[in-house]
């Protein structure tokens, strides 16, 4: 029998007037039946979140922390069930799905810690001539209602990156997950309900972003929109949000420079992992490799050898490394980009073939910068490798992008490492590691078209609070 799920509004699990069938991206089988929330449902959720603000603000930091800790524990207790949800709704291979659940647990644990750390500072008022006899301090206050819109690729952990800091700071949330990955968001809501989150502090509305997203983005009672997703939708949200605060975590075509290394085989393994994990559907996936001319042969040989060991297939199988892309049309698009690069003179070293929604892991060499695979976000298992002679040229190549999320640099020169940190235009430079590296407490976010604002629990918590100043006149 098909699993039937409900939306979560004002502490109630509700059916919708209309519904849709959620299908596995891998097998096409119906995984569950989901309700479509209407605009009225979203308005009711916002109203409910506004009413719940008082209750949420009244919780002590210890109470907020305890709720988040309990949610982390519930993920631990239901670990395998959560990993299996991912294999069904977004075809994440089981090994990677387990990795995401481990990170989700950590994210909620970091949020539980952060709830206890929200502090202000005392201001030396008398450092100004007019400040004598005054005592000033700041405190951080919750913003109120937060609208969270999340993508399909890390549906548990990226929801955690919104809910964790929002609740750590005492906000309430209306969450709209990607319509392909609502099961993870609804499971998360179940855990918060069991953990004792006040009724109305979390609402989960389900439906197409194009149909119900605007209600969240434009509503005056929603004080911040925290969005993770594509550039196209991010630009639309920014244009409609007006003066409302927004955090936009968008895409990238992340690059790595390989200038020098003592262990090319380990670098090759990291590049393969960074390029092909979850079939490249990772915002910091390794998409562009710039390797020093003399290392090209060794690097590509080692990468091709590693790719041979990758197993493609059913996401629910233990041994699978690569499975279906989220939709067949994405695989078709990626295949076209490979052909376009070939037509422009690039050489396909492995892969390039598509079967339905599955694209073989593909390595392409000598790609001109005008090719889509170089200048746009691939979000597919494709990586390009170009060579360079001069390190400055390699840095210019990395910066020749509309995006700027993270970049990696392999070098044994401390001077070159610092040069990269200074000159590469991204939110994070990772030395002797691929740009796909992320742990969940580090500041994370982009420059240029990769977005605005930072996630990473401490940083997101700050963005989800207002700084309030208090001044006491003591004379
Ligand atoms: P997407 O198509 O932009 O969708 C993201 C979310 O926005 C979904 O919930 C979607 O709902 C919703 N949405 C769509 N149109 C909307 C509208 N007009 N108004 C409001 N919401 C709307 O992105 P995706 O395909 O799920 O995810 C892939 C993208 O996310 C990639 O570009 C990737 O780089 C980026 N990403 C960035 C980060 C980061 O931290 N920087 C992390 C992960 C992913 P529907 O599903 O119903 O369309």
């Amino acid at each position: 029998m098909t699993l039937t799920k409900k939306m979560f509004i004002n502490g109630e699990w509700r059916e919708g007037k209309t519904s849709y069938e959620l299908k596995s991206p891998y097998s096409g089988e119906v995984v569950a039946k989901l309700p479509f929330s209407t605009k009225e449902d979203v308005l009711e959720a916002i109203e409910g979140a506004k009413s719940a603000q008082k209750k949420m603000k009244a919780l002590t930091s210890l109470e907020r922390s305890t709720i988040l800790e309990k949610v982390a524990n519930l993920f631990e207790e239901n670990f395998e069930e959560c990993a299996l949800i991912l294999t069904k709704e977004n075809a994440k291979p089981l090994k990677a799905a387990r990795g995401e659940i481990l990170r989700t647990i950590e994210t909620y644990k970091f949020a539980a810690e952060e709830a206890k750390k929200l502090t202000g500072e005392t201001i030396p008022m008398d450092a100004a001539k007019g400040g004598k006899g005054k005592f000033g301090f700041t405190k951080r206050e919750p913003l109120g209602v937060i609208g969270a819109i999340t993508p399909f690729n890390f549906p548990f952990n990226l929801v955690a990156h919104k809910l964790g800091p929002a609740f750590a700071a005492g906000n309430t949330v209306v969450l709209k997950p990607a319509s392909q990955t609502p099961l993870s968001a609804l499971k998360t809501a179940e855990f918060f309900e069991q953990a004792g989150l006040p009724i109305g502090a979390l609402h989960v509305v389900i439906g197409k972003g194009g149909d119900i997203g605007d209600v969240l983005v434009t509503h005056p009672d929603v004080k911040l929109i925290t969005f993770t997703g594509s550039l196209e939708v991010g630009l639309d949200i920014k244009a409609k949000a007006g003066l409302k605060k927004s955090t936009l975590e968008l895409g990238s075509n992340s690059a790595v420079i390989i200038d020098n290394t003592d262990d090319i085989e380990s670098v090759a393994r990291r590049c393969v992992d960074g390029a092909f994990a979850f079939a490249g559907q990772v915002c910091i996936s390794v998409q562009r490799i710039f390797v020093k001319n003399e290392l090209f042969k060794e690097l590509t040989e080692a990468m091709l050898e590693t790719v041979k060991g990758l197993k493609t297939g059913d996401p629910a199988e233990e041994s699978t490394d690569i499975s279906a892309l989220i939709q067949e049309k994405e695989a078709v698009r990626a295949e076209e980009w490979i052909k376009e690069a070939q037509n422009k003179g690039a050489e396909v070293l492995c892969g390039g073939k598509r079967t339905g929604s599955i694209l073989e892991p593909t390595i392409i060499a000598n790609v001109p910068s005008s090719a889509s695979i170089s200048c746009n976000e691939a979000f597919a298992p494709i990586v390009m490798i170009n060579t360079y002679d001069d390190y400055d040229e390699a840095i210019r190549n990395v910066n020749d992008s509309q995006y700027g999320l993270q970049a990696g640099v392999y070098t044994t020169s401390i001077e070159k490492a610092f040069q990269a940190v200074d000159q590469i235009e991204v939110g994070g430079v990772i030395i002797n590691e691929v740009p796909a590296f992320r742990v969940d407490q580090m500041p994370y976010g982009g420059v240029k078209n990769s977005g605005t604002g930072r996630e990473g629990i401490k940083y997101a918590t700050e963005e989800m609070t207002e700084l309030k100043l208090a001044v006491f006149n003591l004379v």
Side-chain angles (χ1 to χ4, degrees), residues 169-438:
N171 295 287
T172 60
V173 180
V174 178
L175 167 67
K176 196 218 84 63
S179 40
Q180 181 59 40
T181 55
L183 300 180
S184 39
L186 294 170
K187 180 53 73 182
T188 301
E190 279 176 33
F191 291 164
F192 271 105
E193 194 182 23
Q194 287 173 43
L197 187 76
I199 288 176
L202 172 63
H203 309 255
V204 184
V205 292
I206 310 288
K208 285 275 163 207
D211 296 339
I212 55 172
D214 278 4
V215 184
L216 265 185
V217 172
T218 57
H219 199 291
D221 287 336
V222 175
K223 299 302 175 195
L224 174 140
I225 286 288
T226 171
F227 169 78
T228 303
S230 62
L231 169 61
E232 192 190 8
V233 177
L235 286 172
D236 186 56
I237 287 177
K238 183 85 181 158
K240 288 176 179 157
L243 288 180
K244 194 191 295 291
K245 276 178 124 180
S246 58
T247 302
L248 303 173
E249 301 288 341
L250 311 178
S252 187
N253 57 353
S254 299
V256 56
I257 296 175
I258 300 165
D259 192 62
N260 201 358
T261 170
D262 295 331
D263 186 354
I264 195 77
E265 291 196 352
S266 127
V267 173
R269 278 196 301 275
R270 291 299 298 141
C271 285
V272 166
D273 192 38
F276 301 130
F278 193 33
Q281 298 171 115
V282 179
C283 48
I284 37 176
S285 190
V286 176
Q287 186 175 325
R288 298 178 298 147
I289 298 175
F290 298 103
V291 61
K292 203 165 180 186
N293 237 320
E294 64 220 41
L295 293 175
F296 175 78
K297 191 164 174 287
E298 253 187 292
L299 177 79
T300 48
E301 280 172 6
M303 282 181 71
L304 289 170
E305 199 50 40
T306 311
V307 169
K308 274 189 208 156
L310 296 179
K311 193 177 161 240
T312 301
D314 185 342
E317 271 179 27
E318 293 282 347
S319 56
T320 298
D321 298 294
I322 295 189
S323 190
L325 291 183
I326 198 73
Q327 288 182 44
E328 186 167 348
K329 74 174 170 57
E330 296 302 332
V332 171
R333 175 205 32 95
E335 192 185 27
E336 280 165 8
W337 285 14
I338 295 167
K339 287 187 188 139
E340 182 215 12
Q342 274 179 306
N343 291 338
K344 289 187 169 182
E347 186 191 353
V348 174
L349 302 183
C350 72
K353 292 199 187 66
R354 179 182 69 84
T355 314
S357 303
I358 297 184
L359 183 71
E360 289 177 349
T362 303
I363 303 179
I364 318 181
N366 304 320
V367 178
S369 61
S370 64
S372 302
I373 190 63
S374 174
C375 55
N376 295 317
E377 181 182 40
F379 231 56
I382 311 174
V383 62
M384 53 164 266
I385 309 181
N386 282 8
T387 56
Y388 69 87
D389 289 313
D390 171 49
Y391 189 67
D392 291 339
E393 175 197 342
I395 290 183
R396 277 197 302 277
N397 289 338
V398 173
N399 287 339
D400 180 20
S401 168
Q402 60 173 318
Y403 295 111
L405 194 45
Q406 291 200 150
V409 177
Y410 282 92
T411 179
T412 50
S413 152
I414 192 79
E415 289 82 10
K416 283 181 175 172
F418 274 100
Q419 184 186 346
V421 171
D422 279 349
Q423 295 180 358
I424 297 184
E425 297 156 1
V426 287
V429 178
I430 320 287
I431 303 296
N432 289 327
E433 186 42 291
V434 288
F437 173 80
R438 182 181 185 188

